[in-house]
Amino acid sequence: MKKIIITGGAGFIGSHVVRRFVTQHPEYHIINLDKLTYAGNLANLKDIEGAPNYEFVKGDIVDAAFIDQLFADKQPDAVIHLAAESHVDRSITNPTEFVMTNVIGTVNLLNAARNLWKGRYDSTRFYHVSTDEVYGTLGEDGMFTEETAYDPHSPYSASKASSDHFVRAYQDTYGMDTVISNCSNNYGSYHFPEKLIPLAIHNIKQMKSIPVYGKGENVRDWLWVEDHARAIELIFHKAKSGATYNIGGHNEWKNIDLIQLLCSILDKKLGRAEGTSAGLITYVTDRAGHDLRYAIDATKLKTELGWVPSITFEEGLEKTVDWYLANQEWLDDVTSGHYQQYYSEQYADR
Ligand code: NAD
Ligand code: TYD
């Protein structure tokens, strides 16, 4: 059976990727490697934790000795690497942590893979899951393609750009089989409520203010997380060695328009008078170095591999809001930090 290590599988996107591989591919043995930082939560995978082809390993990708030993013990055939520090605001306060996990952690995984796979790169694969933020910012027009030059601005995007370069360097220098995808902003279930959409839903539910950075005119291109997971599955299986794909939903929204839409959806669902939740919108100091606009041209993925998003933004947002309304316990746990205490006790000896 093919063994795949998926890193960061207890996080937002990683949990959807792990679920997809575990449920759709009984022929694989999936090892979810995750440090369980504030963003990692095994409750995200409760529905598949007993699956026979699934295993969880708690560990830090920054710890090179641990990673080398893990590869020697588990003998994986492939890595799908999602573990990262992922929040731009946190990267502004603590850039070093982003260098450690996103750059050093990625290089540690590449080294372990290289040691294990030397001489059999044709039957192994290292897939790096990256972001469109490596391309920097757009003005009013244009879109990021796979040819757009890297021009990261935040410490987060600089660390992801750096790790992308290392992945390509291992392909070019050692002949390792690697693939990279750069995706736009994701939304959906199990999204940690520090990011815009879940934070807005959470605050609206609680009648708390919704912080809008600057004038709310920055534009993001939103993709439903399950469509991202499906794209990763497709690229993992079909991409040529060394390929890069952009993934996005052709779905650009100004932050303020998106927040207004969420307010209106939640007013209806919560039985509030139209306009009640919009009263919570509060303009706050802009994020330092705030990228104006991201937009992905996903033509290559569509023409070469046939991928298109499976649902509209309206459908995805509706599903997402419904999920947050139905999962108050999950929200309470992640906002209280309770889940970390529970799972760190359970996995203390690993
Ligand atoms: P997340 O913050 O929700 O999850 C990250 C996961 O990585 C967590 O489970 C965390 O515990 C784990 N982790 C962090 N540091 C670790 C370490 N040192 N060792 C082992 N595990 C560690 O992130 P996400 O939003 O799910 O993003 C996943 C990946 O996708 C990241 O690489 C991110 O750059 C990329 N990405 C995210 C988006 C997005 O919109 N969220 C868009 C494009 C690409
Ligand atoms: P975020 O979800 O942090 O994703 P990213 O910075 O990676 O794109 O932010 C999405 C957009 O929303 C971004 O332009 C910053 C803005 N934003 C707010 O206006 N208020 C908030 O509280 C947050 C978290 C983000």
Side-chain angles (χ1 to χ4, degrees):
M1 187 195 282
K2 199 169 198 170
K3 283 192 184 176
I4 306 175
I5 290 183
I6 300 182
T7 71
F12 166 47
I13 301 170
S15 62
H16 287 278
V17 174
V18 165
R19 179 174 299 99
R20 185 151 192 107
F21 273 79
V22 166
T23 57
Q24 304 297 309
H25 294 282
E27 72 277 22
Y28 296 152
H29 181 75
I30 301 299
I31 301 160
N32 172 11
L33 166 63
D34 199 295
K35 183 183 174 183
L36 300 182
T37 67
Y38 79 95
N41 182 359
L42 287 177
N44 298 357
L45 290 166
K46 249 195 163 356
D47 53 327
I48 57 116
E49 68 187 3
N53 62 337
Y54 171 72
E55 178 183 354
F56 172 70
V57 175
K58 184 174 190 294
D60 187 347
I61 58 169
V62 177
D63 182 345
F66 164 77
I67 293 298
D68 288 345
Q69 192 58 52
L70 181 75
F71 275 62
D73 291 346
K74 303 290 183 189
Q75 300 279 314
D77 306 290
V79 173
I80 304 177
H81 176 34
L82 294 104
E85 286 294 335
S86 68
H87 193 206
V88 173
D89 293 328
R90 287 179 189 257
S91 82
I92 294 169
T93 7
N94 190 356
T96 307
E97 207 170 337
F98 283 67
V99 176
M100 295 311 292
T101 289
N102 299 0
V103 185
I104 307 291
T106 301
V107 172
N108 286 343
L109 290 167
L110 286 165
N111 285 337
R114 181 177 164 230
N115 284 339
L116 185 65
W117 297 343
K118 225 175 282 175
R120 57 183 186 106
Y121 289 139
D122 54 348
S123 60
T124 57
R125 170 151 281 187
F126 191 101
Y127 184 153
H128 187 227
V129 174
S130 192
T131 167
D132 60 352
E133 302 189 27
V134 298
Y135 299 123
T137 188
L138 293 162
E140 298 292 322
D141 305 316
M143 284 185 165
F144 298 134
T145 73
E146 289 80 359
E147 312 306 321
T148 305
Y150 277 31
D151 184 20
H153 296 133
S154 72
Y156 164 65
S157 53
S159 69
K160 292 296 292 188
S162 172
S163 52
D164 283 2
H165 289 316
F166 272 104
V167 172
R168 288 201 181 93
Y170 276 61
Q171 170 103 27
D172 295 344
T173 309
Y174 307 115
M176 187 185 281
D177 178 296
T178 70
V179 176
I180 297 174
S181 57
N182 299 85
C183 188
S184 62
N185 288 59
N186 285 213
Y187 71 95
S189 53
Y190 303 109
H191 202 184
F192 195 82
E194 64 181 353
K195 308 277 171 62
L196 181 66
I197 289 183
L199 179 100
I201 296 173
H202 182 53
N203 286 15
I204 293 168
K205 275 178 83 176
Q206 297 198 311
M207 286 297 287
K208 281 168 56 176
S209 67
I210 312 160
V212 177
Y213 297 167
K215 294 184 178 154
E217 286 182 349
N218 302 70
V219 174
R220 296 294 182 264
D221 181 356
W222 295 94
L223 179 70
W224 190 45
V225 64
E226 294 188 35
D227 277 331
H228 186 191
R230 200 168 45 82
I232 290 172
E233 180 194 25
L234 187 66
I235 293 167
F236 176 76
H237 289 106
K238 303 277 187 217
K240 289 200 183 106
S241 181
T244 293
Y245 286 95
N246 281 352
I247 311 172
H250 288 285
N251 178 44
E252 294 180 51
W253 283 81
K254 267 190 190 167
N255 291 339
I256 189 61
D257 295 342
L258 173 56
I259 291 168
Q260 293 278 12
L261 177 63
L262 282 171
C263 287
S264 156
I265 293 174
L266 277 148
D267 277 347
K268 284 196 195 79
K269 290 195 185 277
L270 297 172
R272 293 180 186 162
E274 178 71 34
T276 309
S277 302
L280 301 168
I281 292 173
T282 310
Y283 290 93
V284 299
T285 309
D286 206 356
R287 173 187 279 171
H290 197 171
D291 285 337
L292 177 68
R293 176 172 165 257
Y294 302 143
I296 278 279
D297 179 347
T299 307
K300 181 180 175 192
L301 184 57
K302 184 179 173 185
T303 49
E304 289 189 2
L305 302 186
W307 177 93
V308 285
S310 69
I311 60 172
T312 64
F313 188 51
E314 287 67 26
E315 290 167 325
L317 211 54
E318 176 100 14
K319 275 177 191 282
T320 303
V321 169
D322 286 345
W323 188 86
Y324 279 93
L325 291 176
N327 286 277
Q328 186 57 45
E329 203 184 327
W330 182 90
L331 261 176
D332 288 343
D333 275 359
V334 300
T335 45
S336 69
H338 171 257
Y339 67 96
Q340 283 179 311
Q341 193 189 340
Y342 170 74
Y343 283 109
S344 57
E345 278 162 17
Q346 196 180 11
Y347 289 101
D349 56 340
R350 301 213 180 177

